[in-house]
Amino acid sequence: MTDLNTREPRAKNKITTILLQKDIDLLFSKRKSLARSGSQTKTLSSIYTVRELEANSEPILFLLHAPKRSIKEAHLRNKLKRWMREAIRQCDEIAEIYSLLAERKSQVLILLRADFKPSKDHAWQQIKDDIRIIADRLMKNLHSS
């Protein structure tokens, strides 16, 4: 049995979502494109913005979106969001971005949008690959700025 006080924090597994409308408004007003589905990624598109890190906040805040207009069934929208959360948890590049942002005292707000229904062409593996591509592109953009 392990002692709870000796456990390491599980910050890598925690995904913090954007909850405030003012943060969503800021994301859309000052957005920069990261990836477009179809040309840079297969399934996901994304936008982001960078700002100064606020007190008691995480360096990365996510907004996961599966639009009702293109994905009618709620269980498919929920499945896509679960896949996106799990792909983020498994992506090592996200942990690197997290530490870089904490070092710089910056925060990234990022929207990940699933543009297609789950199918054999748009399944778990494609979402996982797309998250890695998006993380790589974000890392390059952060290093260049």
Side-chain angles (χ1 to χ4, degrees):
M1 190 165 172
T2 61
D3 184 14
L4 293 176
N5 295 329
T6 60
R7 284 176 119 175
E8 291 185 18
R10 296 174 53 130
K12 181 183 174 190
N13 292 335
K14 183 164 172 42
I15 295 171
T16 309
T17 57
I18 300 173
L19 299 175
L20 300 176
Q21 185 64 44
K22 69 176 183 129
D23 292 338
I24 295 171
D25 293 341
L26 176 73
L27 173 62
F28 282 100
S29 67
K30 297 187 177 185
R31 68 182 177 256
K32 296 176 187 169
S33 180
L34 262 180
R36 290 187 153 190
S37 61
S39 57
Q40 290 127 343
T41 58
K42 290 184 181 179
T43 304
L44 300 178
S45 59
S46 64
I47 58 172
Y48 78 105
T49 191
V50 180
R51 68 176 180 187
E52 189 175 313
L53 185 62
E54 295 179 349
N56 299 327
S57 187
E58 296 291 322
I60 303 175
L61 297 178
F62 292 95
L63 181 60
L64 306 177
H65 182 56
K68 196 175 197 178
R69 181 174 286 176
S70 57
I71 305 165
K72 303 282 187 212
E73 300 88 351
H75 68 280
L76 294 178
R77 292 193 305 274
N78 294 337
K79 178 189 246 185
L80 287 167
K81 290 178 188 178
R82 279 195 309 270
W83 283 353
M84 284 190 272
R85 278 192 295 273
E86 188 56 33
I88 291 167
R89 284 186 192 104
Q90 291 183 12
C91 185
D92 295 330
E93 289 86 353
I94 297 289
E96 292 174 29
I97 293 169
Y98 190 94
S99 60
L100 174 70
L101 290 169
E103 197 177 283
R104 290 184 180 181
K105 296 189 175 162
S106 296
Q107 184 178 50
V108 169
L109 307 176
I110 184 167
L111 165 78
L112 297 172
R113 177 185 162 125
D115 294 322
F116 301 98
K117 285 184 181 182
S119 67
K120 76 173 190 177
D121 294 329
H122 306 287
W124 159 246
Q125 190 60 45
Q126 284 74 28
I127 288 181
K128 193 174 173 184
D129 293 343
D130 287 354
I131 293 290
R132 183 162 285 117
I133 291 167
I134 290 168
D136 287 339
R137 292 176 64 92
L138 180 59
M139 183 64 97
K140 286 178 188 171
N141 290 355
L142 289 173
H143 280 302
S144 67
S145 63

